[in-house]
DNA sequence: TAGCGATAAGAAAATATTTACATAACACAA
DNA sequence: TTGTGTTATGTAAATATTTTCTTATCGCTA
């Protein structure tokens, strides 16, 4: 999925999200949304810009970052105020590592999705 | 992740959820929670039992099923009231196919997670 | 030194979600 | 014909989340 025209699954897409959680308590540590935000911060070097791209308020984006770092108990982002451009936010080395692992997993997942979807449509068309 | 003792990622787990969405509108069609519910309905043959297992109210579980079928515009579950046991809910052939695809993807994802996590800890320990 | 654009953060208002409650139908069995 | 356990569904109450507004700080630049 997405399936071929005429299939029940036309225009429907089998998708996934990646997140971090505590193994024992199952508490969410980093949601898919928080990962997306990190990717956008990396791309734009700005929390304001990332928030706009995600179509959420700056206030919410700021809270997402705050919660990410609070839950992990280490920082992911270097932030600064003032200066020529008003300030910026960039991933620190820990943030980069995490985002790199995320990207690797995403790439592997994308391949899995393709394989399984192909098999699915072979099955329902037999 | 979960990482080795002493690692920043000790007790933290890299995880995922699978869902269905509309390719163009990005509208959610079947959430992870709805997939979980289908799995439990398959296992127990009852919406009431599945709701209890998921620790949500019957009312909510019923709404999740209703929305699933509404969004897909075809049914996934055969439901009946009355009878010896009061009634039951079971997956119909479409429901079974979907749940089977879900399980296949889940199995492939689990392997991917293992691979990537291993690589991650090789990286941060070098 | 005034302005600009970004981060920082509290608080209230607006929305959305979830739970709780209530009532009913259904079909079998005792 | 009454009881039992399930599905069916509307409504109100309770919670949670998100947005909006506001005020502040920071450091370069004109």
């Amino acid at each position: 999925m997405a399936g071929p025209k005429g299939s029940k699954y036309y225009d429907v897409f089998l998708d996934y999200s990646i997140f971090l959680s505590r193994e024992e308590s199952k508490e969410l540590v980093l949601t898919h949304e928080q990962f997306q935000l990190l990717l956008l911060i990396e791309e734009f070097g700005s929390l304001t810009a990332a928030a706009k791209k995600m179509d959420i308020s700056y206030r919410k984006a700021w809270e997402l970052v705050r919660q990410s770092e609070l839950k992990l108990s280490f920082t992911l982002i270097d932030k600064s105020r003032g200066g020529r451009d008003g300030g910026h936010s960039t991933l620190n080395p820990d943030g980069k590592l995490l985002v790199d692992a995320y990207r690797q997993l995403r790439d592997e997942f994308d391949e899995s999705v393709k394989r399984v979807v192909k098999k699915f449509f072979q099955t329902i068309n037999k």
Side-chain angles (χ1 to χ4, degrees), chain A:
Chain A
M1 313 159 222
K5 252 187 219 177
S7 151
K8 279 182 175 174
Y9 296 99
Y10 180 61
D11 188 41
V12 167
F13 195 76
L14 192 60
D15 206 357
Y16 62 86
S17 66
I18 297 170
F19 53 92
L20 273 185
S21 54
R22 286 279 156 211
E23 205 155 22
E24 293 196 11
S25 64
K26 305 297 174 195
E27 178 199 26
L28 264 172
V29 174
L30 247 171
T31 66
H32 171 75
E33 190 180 31
Q34 283 163 317
F35 267 118
Q36 296 309 305
L37 187 57
L38 291 181
L39 289 170
L40 290 170
I41 289 170
E42 183 186 42
E43 184 176 357
F44 293 108
S46 153
L47 187 50
T48 298
K52 267 182 195 135
K53 206 74 185 179
M54 272 187 76
D55 203 33
I56 58 176
S57 62
Y58 170 82
R59 185 64 180 74
K60 187 182 174 185
W62 175 83
E63 186 65 27
L64 287 175
V65 169
R66 195 178 77 89
Q67 286 298 327
S68 298
E69 298 185 330
L70 201 68
K71 291 271 179 67
L72 282 170
S73 72
F74 56 86
T75 63
L76 298 169
I77 288 173
D78 288 333
K79 288 162 272 189
S80 80
R81 289 190 286 193
R84 182 160 31 82
D85 303 319
H88 53 83
S89 293
T90 55
L91 297 188
N92 69 17
D94 280 328
K96 281 201 190 81
L97 270 174
L98 206 53
V99 157
D100 283 344
Y102 176 89
R103 258 193 296 261
Q104 270 182 48
L105 193 56
R106 198 188 51 182
D107 292 345
E108 292 218 22
F109 277 10
D110 284 343
E111 283 179 38
S112 293
V113 169
K114 272 186 219 157
R115 268 199 301 276
V116 170
V117 165
K118 196 172 167 187
K119 218 183 286 176
F120 179 80
F121 285 110
Q122 281 172 356
T123 304
I124 70 171
N125 290 324
K126 82 158 175 356

